[in-house]
């Protein structure tokens, strides 16, 4: 969705709400992305404040269990209507978005924020115990029958005594 922002930039106190969904192609995203929030101008500053939600579909990096849960990502940026000079543009914080024509491609911005917020791997739970490296049993379900692997260096030491 494109947001036309001229009316917001031109008037103190102006606001525009939005609430919509769009498809974002990615193997980890199993639903449309739902976005709700607003753009508003307050004390001369135009701010975008929104929340994006989608259904995550992934596998636990340790035990391989399927993970399906709703992820929410905050999307917050100060919007700048065209920078006056290039030096000025360098001064802006990374979260600032400089618009060239007071038009914002919201889908693209939300997509970028979602991918930035994605961890490089997912776990089914913080303390997932993973699978036994010997028998492959899911250790979250309890200990397996395998003996802990012995280090051959210790066996060599034992022989000395
Ligand atoms: Zn797991
Ligand atoms: Zn085992």
């Amino acid at each position: 969705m494109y947001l036309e922002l001229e009316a917001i930039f031109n008037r103190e106190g102006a606001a525009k709400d939005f609430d919509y969904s769009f498809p974002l192609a990615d193997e980890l995203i199993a639903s449309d992305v739902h976005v709700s929030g607003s753009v508003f101008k307050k004390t001369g500053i135009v701010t975008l404040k929104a929340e994006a939600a989608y259904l995550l579909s992934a596998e636990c990096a340790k035990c391989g269990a399927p993970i399906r849960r709703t992820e929410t990502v905050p999307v917050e940026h100060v919007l700048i209507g065209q920078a006056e000079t290039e030096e000025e543009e360098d001064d802006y914080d990374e979260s600032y978005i400089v618009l060239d024509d007071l038009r914002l491609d919201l889908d693209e911005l939300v997509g970028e924020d979602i991918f930035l917020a994605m961890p490089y791997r997912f776990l089914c739970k913080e303390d997932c115990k993973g699978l036994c490296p010997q028998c492959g049993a899911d250790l979250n379900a309890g200990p397996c029958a395998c003996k802990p692997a012995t280090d051959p260096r210790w066996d060599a030491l034992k022989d000395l005594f």
Side-chain angles (χ1 to χ4, degrees), residues 131-137 139 143-147:
L131 305 179
C132 169
Q134 293 175 75
C135 71
L139 299 176
C144 61
C146 299
K147 291 190 175 61

Side-chain angles (χ1 to χ4, degrees), residues 1 18-22 33-36 106-107 110:
M1 182 170 100
F18 45 84
D19 193 319
Y20 75 107
S21 297
F22 72 96
V33 176
H34 178 238
V35 189
S36 65
L106 192 54
D107 298 3
V110 168

